[in-house]
Amino acid sequence: MKIAFYGSSLVSAYWNGAATYYRGLLRALAQKGYDITFYEPDVYDRQKNRDIDPPEWCKVVVYDGTVDALKRVTAEASQADVVVKASGVGFEDDLLLAEVLRSARPDALKIFWDVDAPATLAELRAHADHPLRQALTELDLVLTYGGGDPVVDAYRGLGAADCIPIYNALDPETHHPVATNPRFNADLGFLGNRLPDREARVEHFFLEPATHLPQQTFLLGGSGWHDKPMSPNVNFIGHVSTRDHNAFNVTPKAVLNISRASMAENGFSPATRVFEAAGAGACLITDYWEGIELFLKPDEEVLVARDGQDVIDIMAGLDADKARQIGERALARVLAEHTYAHRAEDVDAIFRNHPNTRREAAE
């Protein structure tokens, strides 16, 4: 079965948080026999900041950020059995959706794959004439990487035929335990770009606790924080390449996940960082969001903080042995239940059981 997938980038994680999700899930689908082509625009300097080469399990087509190039690559959707337009591609998203739907065969399975459902739904609610909102009736399915019932109900209420969450997961070949690296020595590490929807929460859950625990060291990785005021015990190291994420996760005594505000409000939206950290065997502290217990057991496989004071209390009482045990249990849990191979089983069943693909198989 051929998949044409139009997304932000597979080969670059530069300002592209969906990269890990795409890589893990599409590789697992390729291992199940899918023939996948990933189409990505050359925008935002991502091609200058590649962190992987085009993989052997997926053909990658990079096209210029022009309307003519977009129309050339969307014409190739006609060759696919499953056509996917992801959210947040970054160049002419509305036109891309329209051209993909225009080019896809009538019998192809047409999917909108939303990697940021809270943001997308906010746009759809605010604009009754939004192109995606108008296109929902032409799409066979909406898949999201999180959100639970609130997101599912919202998409169905806006006219989607169906909406199914396909949650983030672990790619064990990419994220796994490694040796520690002195560059990342710290008591608590946080890795995340500076975003308007998360900055206040980073202040509350990370920077403020740092000021109250001057005897402990805090490690901040990610882009955009260079001019942010922070206490002397915070070591800001800037962008951290994906190839160093394992070492970043295993070296500090604990690492922190801070959800964007919209993700925390919707719940059931485990960030990629949750599985990266658990897959490396790190002791993870996460801000609270509804549904965390579906993925990791609080107090045994993950530590949960509802506010900055909780972070302070956790770090004040966390020793190396307890941190190690939590990391080991988290690793065992995600390997047993939450790898991209598990997610690919779900996606494969969705694809093969859909009326379009069942009809094609019968013919």
Side-chain angles (χ1 to χ4, degrees), residues 38-183:
F38 192 99
Y39 298 90
E40 58 181 79
D42 186 0
V43 293
Y44 300 124
D45 288 330
R46 287 181 181 139
Q47 300 307 314
K48 296 178 183 176
N49 292 278
R50 289 186 175 192
D51 53 315
I52 67 168
D53 293 324
E56 43 135 27
W57 42 264
C58 177
K59 179 182 178 183
V60 176
V61 175
V62 179
Y63 59 95
D64 291 336
T66 66
V67 170
D68 286 344
L70 180 152
K71 289 184 176 180
R72 284 196 297 272
V73 296
T74 52
E76 297 183 19
S78 63
Q79 304 169 24
D81 306 300
V82 178
V83 179
V84 176
K85 195 282 181 188
S87 65
V89 173
F91 177 75
E92 295 285 353
D93 272 79
D94 295 338
L95 177 62
L96 179 61
L97 176 61
E99 291 296 315
V100 163
L101 290 175
R102 186 175 68 84
S103 299
R105 300 194 316 259
D107 64 335
L109 181 58
K110 295 172 280 293
I111 297 171
F112 179 71
W113 206 314
D114 197 344
V115 296
D116 193 354
T120 305
L121 287 167
E123 282 190 36
L124 298 186
R125 293 187 185 106
H127 304 284
D129 59 347
H130 194 287
L132 172 59
R133 189 167 179 171
Q134 302 302 313
L136 286 175
T137 56
E138 299 180 55
L139 292 158
D140 297 305
L141 186 62
V142 174
L143 300 179
T144 71
Y145 95 152
D149 289 343
V151 166
V152 171
D153 293 344
Y155 263 117
R156 288 175 177 170
L158 289 168
D162 201 1
C163 175
I164 304 172
I166 304 296
Y167 295 109
N168 272 329
L170 170 68
D171 179 355
E173 295 185 30
T174 303
H175 297 106
H176 47 76
V178 297
T180 59
N181 184 331
R183 178 189 173 202

Side-chain angles (χ1 to χ4, degrees), residues 200-238:
R201 294 175 66 80
V202 174
E203 292 174 358
H204 188 50
F205 283 89
F206 183 76
L207 295 178
E208 291 175 12
T211 65
H212 288 85
L213 295 169
Q215 74 282 12
Q216 297 198 22
T217 54
F218 288 67
L219 179 68
L220 175 60
S223 299
W225 300 103
H226 57 280
D227 61 349
K228 183 74 175 177
M230 55 190 74
S231 57
N233 60 331
V234 178
N235 177 22
F236 170 56
I237 58 174

